[in-house]
Amino acid sequence: MTDRLNLSLLRKLVQLLAFLFLVYGSAIVGFYTADKISGALPALACAYDQQTADYCTLIPFQHQMDHRVGMVINAGGDLLKALLPSLITLGTFLLMFVVLNKAFCGWICPLGFFQEVLSLIGQKLGLRRIESLPEGLVLRVRPFKWVILLLLVFGLPLLAGLGSVGHELGSPYCSICPSRILTTLAAGDTSQVYLDTSSDGYFVLSLIANLLFGLMLAWGLFVRQPFCRICPMLALHAAFRSIGLVRLVKQGKPRCEKCGLCAKACPMDIREIHTEMEQRDVLFADCTLCGRCVEFCPDKEVLQLKYVTLPLFKADPAYFKRRKQAQGQWEKRNLLAWWRKRRGGAA
Amino acid sequence: MIPRTLILTALLALTGTTQAALSWSSQLPPNPHADHAGHGGHGGRGAGTPFILRDGDGATAQLRLPTLVRRALEPDAQGLVTLQPSGLLSYHLLLATRSSPGREEVALRYHYLNGKPSDASPSLLVNSRKATLDIIPAPLTREHQRYQANGAYHYLLRYGDLPLANTEVRLTTSNGSVLSTTSDHRGRLSFTLPDDFPEVQAGRGANRPAEFLLSATHTQAGTQHLTTLSADYHADPAHWRSALGGWLALLGGFVGGLAVVQFSRNSSEENARD
Ligand code: SF4
Ligand code: SF4
Ligand code: SF4
């Protein structure tokens, strides 16, 4: 890496290109669904965005649970045949997931990128940010992503297919997903911001969707990656992370105990990246493979991003020094500081 | 329950807006909620999807798969065909043709069927040669989107391999609306589907879809070409969705989020002082 180009900057460029491609990319890959790359992307690119180049895997799962599996169990058909589309979706998801592992979050996801942009706006406005959430809160929030995955992506759609709950719950995660609102708005379509008055169920879901999006906008200015922490895609990734080829490895040294810079740098507040001293594999369930912990590790090769066994990026004292300096300068420049300086100058 | 084809025919006869023309029409199941099981243009599960070939005496009918493979269709005496899944997931084309000296008639209808994912893009099907005078959706509605009232949709009129300019195309709906437009110099035309559902109920599944029919006529070299393209369309969800309510809820979430940040900051500062 040169003095100017660092891993975070490179990642932002990749995220920007991925955002443009996934939100507007039908112009490149063709308009129709069949022109899309997979229809089972391991990141929240949205099927409701009519210009998207590919869409996330959570929507086919919900529809298959509702329209296929649930209905077939109800009507007494061939269950294996009904499960086949879900298995194809899972297979397609895994084929892509194995290549980048959880880096789909840190490098590709439009909603992940948007939350980083919010964070950047908050920082540039000079807002007093909460750099790390309290440990207790982080631990309490972690199970939610699993609950959302199991309940909203699989459980309720299945029950809707079985007829046990209303059809409103046929795709409940999509009904509240912030990426649906973000990507459609980004494509110039405001039709996804609505309150649905057709039934109590739809009303509650549409209300939650808008409140959640508003909350994400507000919290994103102060806290890093607020939605990611409860995202069902993060849970789906976590379930399969051991098969992914990109790895995060650690070779702990005694100095680690007094340091902890990696955990401070982590946008997901994974403190275990600091405290784990035995295990070599430190790709934890909440990791998005953003690589910040590696960038901000001051000790040689303690943390590494690897592609199977091939090192992609290693902690390095010289890089750390440059990176820390650049970060300090970057954080100093914000609107509030500029305004104070201007007023100070005028006085 | 009166078949919708009859309603369409009766309405068109009543309004006297169009001559009978070779065209496809969907025949919906009597349960209005049955449509709810599908989404975004998906269909073709279970017992098959029925279609009626209207004014189809002497016409031949076929189904074109996304891969352009053709399968003959045999409408019964009432023009009814029941479309079975082809095994491929994507748009399929119902095509009916009838030729007589000096006249060539074509009826088109695209329909999404479930099955295994197909490599073939729908653009292969829509752009393939199927009629001398063709009305090409530009584009077809994509998954999770469907034709709905107040939506603007675009088409391309093609004669042979070339765009057909300055030609009138008419849109008639089973709700009784009639519109017409003219193709531009590149053969392009657009329609905003009329918001003409007589009694809109709240909810997507509570309203049976209606049907629209585009028809174009062009005479060249002594032959009159008449082509129709039909599709279902749905009531505009804006009838039961409030955009203002949505924006207000979003704003409420934003303000509430700011308040939570402020509150938690205050309480952690108080804790620190204690
Ligand atoms: S709404 Fe969310 S979960 Fe559903 S398709 Fe869009 S991004 Fe995926
Ligand atoms: S965890 Fe964040 S980055 Fe990953 S898919 Fe969810 S929103 Fe996107
Ligand atoms: S552990 Fe490291 S790579 Fe994973 S999210 Fe935290 S900083 Fe990023």
Side-chain angles (χ1 to χ4, degrees):
Chain A
M1 298 270 163
T2 64
D3 276 7
R4 281 177 180 276
L5 184 67
N6 57 50
L7 190 73
S8 290
L9 194 61
L10 179 70
R11 196 168 63 85
K12 291 273 181 306
L13 287 174
V14 173
Q15 284 178 302
L16 178 65
L17 291 176
F19 184 93
L20 294 175
F21 181 69
L22 290 172
V23 177
Y24 310 103
S26 70
I28 302 167
V29 297
F31 181 80
Y32 298 108
T33 305
D35 288 346
K36 291 179 189 174
I37 308 161
S38 70
L41 193 75
L44 293 185
C46 189
Y48 291 80
D49 163 17
Q50 294 302 313
Q51 296 177 35
T52 186
D54 195 12
Y55 59 68
C56 92
T57 196
L58 301 182
I59 190 165
F61 277 138
Q62 290 167 87
H63 285 318
Q64 287 152 6
M65 289 301 117
D66 179 6
H67 302 316
R68 293 289 182 121
V69 185
M71 279 184 177
V72 166
I73 293 174
N74 230 1
D78 183 346
L79 187 61
L80 204 67
K81 215 169 148 193
L83 277 171
L84 198 65
S86 305
L87 295 176
I88 292 173
T89 303
L90 183 65
T92 319
F93 164 83
L94 290 176
L95 266 180
M96 282 184 292
F97 181 71
V98 79
V99 178
L100 285 186
N101 204 342
K102 289 173 134 278
F104 272 103
C105 280
W107 295 70
I108 305 292
C109 176
L111 190 65
F113 176 58
F114 178 68
Q115 290 171 87
E116 290 194 32
V117 171
L118 285 175
S119 201
L120 200 117
I121 293 171
Q123 194 262 315
K124 284 296 152 209
L125 288 175
L127 301 177
R128 211 148 48 94
R129 295 175 41 75
I130 303 163
E131 289 306 338
S132 296
L133 292 180
E135 189 171 6
L137 180 63
V138 172
L139 294 179
R140 276 199 302 278
V141 166
R142 278 183 184 169
F144 278 89
K145 60 181 179 296
W146 293 102
V147 174
I148 294 177
L149 178 70
L150 295 176
L151 205 66
L152 299 195
V153 178
F154 293 103
L156 289 174
L158 186 64
L159 289 176
L162 288 169
S164 312
V165 295
H167 190 78
E168 291 95 328
L169 297 173
S171 50
Y173 178 66
C174 285
S175 299
I176 63 159
C177 178
S179 190
R180 176 172 57 84
I181 298 180
L182 167 72
T183 52
T184 50
L185 284 178
D189 170 11
T190 57
S191 68
Q192 294 299 320
V193 182
Y194 59 79
L195 276 188
D196 192 323
T197 57
S198 61
S199 74
D200 292 347
Y202 280 124
F203 180 79
V204 170
L205 286 170
S206 58
L207 184 67
I208 294 174
N210 296 304
L211 287 174
L212 186 63
F213 191 75
L215 274 176
M216 189 193 73
L217 287 181
W219 287 349
L221 296 170
F222 298 91
V223 178
R224 292 181 288 179
Q225 309 303 99
F227 178 76
C228 289
R229 294 159 196 263
I230 56 161
C231 177
M233 187 69 87
L234 194 69
L236 196 64
H237 284 186
F240 295 103
R241 69 186 187 276
S242 54
I243 64 159
L245 300 180
V246 185
R247 316 293 316 164
L248 180 62
V249 295
K250 179 174 176 182
Q251 206 159 21
K253 291 193 180 159
R255 279 178 57 180
C256 284
E257 284 178 24
K258 288 199 190 112
C259 172
L261 287 175
C262 53
K264 272 196 196 133
C266 176
M268 299 295 283
D269 294 316
I270 303 172
R271 289 181 172 82
E272 295 88 332
I273 193 80
H274 164 217
T275 54
E276 179 57 59
M277 295 301 286
E278 304 294 323
Q279 217 174 294
R280 228 179 119 67
D281 178 0
V282 284
L283 184 58
F284 293 104
D286 278 10
C287 181
T288 62
L289 277 174
C290 69
R292 271 178 71 89
C293 52
V294 189
E295 282 190 285
F296 285 90
C297 171
D299 220 344
K300 196 163 176 58
E301 295 179 13
V302 167
L303 282 168
Q304 289 187 39
L305 282 174
K306 285 190 162 181
Y307 205 85
V308 199
T309 53
L310 192 77
L312 294 174
F313 185 68
K314 304 176 191 174
D316 175 75
Y319 176 91
F320 164 75
K321 224 167 134 188
R322 284 200 312 270
R323 183 71 185 85
K324 197 171 162 240
Q325 205 175 20
Q327 187 69 18
Q329 282 171 0
W330 170 254
E331 280 173 13
K332 261 190 244 156
R333 284 186 227 126
N334 66 58
L335 206 65
L336 197 69
W338 172 81
W339 177 246
R340 282 193 182 133
K341 201 170 148 193
R342 218 179 100 110
R343 276 202 0 191
Chain B
M1 189 66 54
I2 309 165
R4 243 159 32 88
T5 346
L6 282 185
I7 299 174
L8 177 64
T9 316
L11 272 165
L12 295 177
L14 264 177
T15 50
T17 50
T18 186
Q19 64 194 85
L22 185 68
S23 63
W24 290 101
S25 174
S26 66
Q27 197 189 48
L28 297 180
N31 173 11
H33 295 286
D35 177 64
H36 217 150
H39 73 94
H42 290 201
R45 269 183 302 276
T49 318
F51 287 94
I52 294 277
L53 182 61
R54 217 158 52 86
D55 188 34
D57 286 349
T60 53
Q62 61 172 255
L63 177 73
R64 272 203 198 167
L65 272 50
T67 48
L68 303 188
V69 169
R70 297 162 195 211
R71 287 194 186 154
L73 294 172
E74 304 284 345
D76 69 9
Q78 278 75 45
L80 177 75
V81 291
T82 303
L83 218 56
Q84 300 298 342
S86 70
L88 291 177
L89 171 106
S90 190
Y91 276 103
H92 292 60
L93 173 68
L94 286 152
L95 174 65
T97 51
R98 180 169 55 208
S99 295
S100 54
R103 192 168 161 92
E104 186 184 291
E105 292 166 272
V106 177
L108 306 163
R109 186 170 184 119
Y110 294 91
H111 184 69
Y112 203 91
L113 285 171
N114 282 317
K116 286 196 197 105
S118 156
D119 284 346
S121 162
S123 46
L124 182 70
L125 188 63
V126 288
N127 293 322
S128 66
R129 183 75 182 265
K130 46 206 151 338
T132 312
L133 178 63
D134 196 356
I135 306 172
I136 300 172
L140 281 165
T141 55
R142 208 160 81 168
E143 204 180 6
H144 309 110
Q145 192 197 36
R146 44 198 199 166
Y147 291 113
Q148 62 188 42
N150 287 327
Y153 302 99
H154 311 284
Y155 299 88
L156 183 71
L157 199 60
R158 197 171 66 183
Y159 181 82
D161 291 325
L162 297 172
L164 185 62
N166 303 322
T167 303
E168 190 195 15
V169 177
R170 296 198 340 153
L171 178 139
T172 50
T173 75
S174 58
N175 288 330
S177 301
V178 182
L179 301 170
S180 108
T181 192
T182 305
S183 59
D184 71 6
H185 66 287
R186 287 160 71 181
R188 296 173 307 189
L189 57 113
S190 303
F191 279 107
T192 297
L193 287 175
D195 190 11
D196 58 1
F197 284 73
E199 279 175 40
V200 178
Q201 309 288 322
R204 202 171 83 161
N207 298 285
R208 303 187 92 190
E211 192 162 77
F212 69 86
L213 181 78
L214 296 179
S215 45
T217 312
H218 178 69
T219 304
Q220 193 156 330
T223 302
Q224 186 193 37
H225 300 272
L226 197 137
T227 297
T228 62
L229 171 70
S230 60
D232 281 346
Y233 71 107
H234 299 257
D236 183 357
H239 286 286
W240 59 89
R241 284 179 177 176
S242 160
L244 179 66
W247 285 107
L248 286 177
L250 200 155
L251 187 67
F254 184 73
V255 174
L258 293 181
V260 170
V261 170
Q262 191 56 37
F263 175 78
S264 60
R265 187 167 278 155
N266 288 347
S267 50
S268 62
E269 279 170 5
E270 263 172 38
N271 286 346
R273 273 201 298 274
D274 294 345

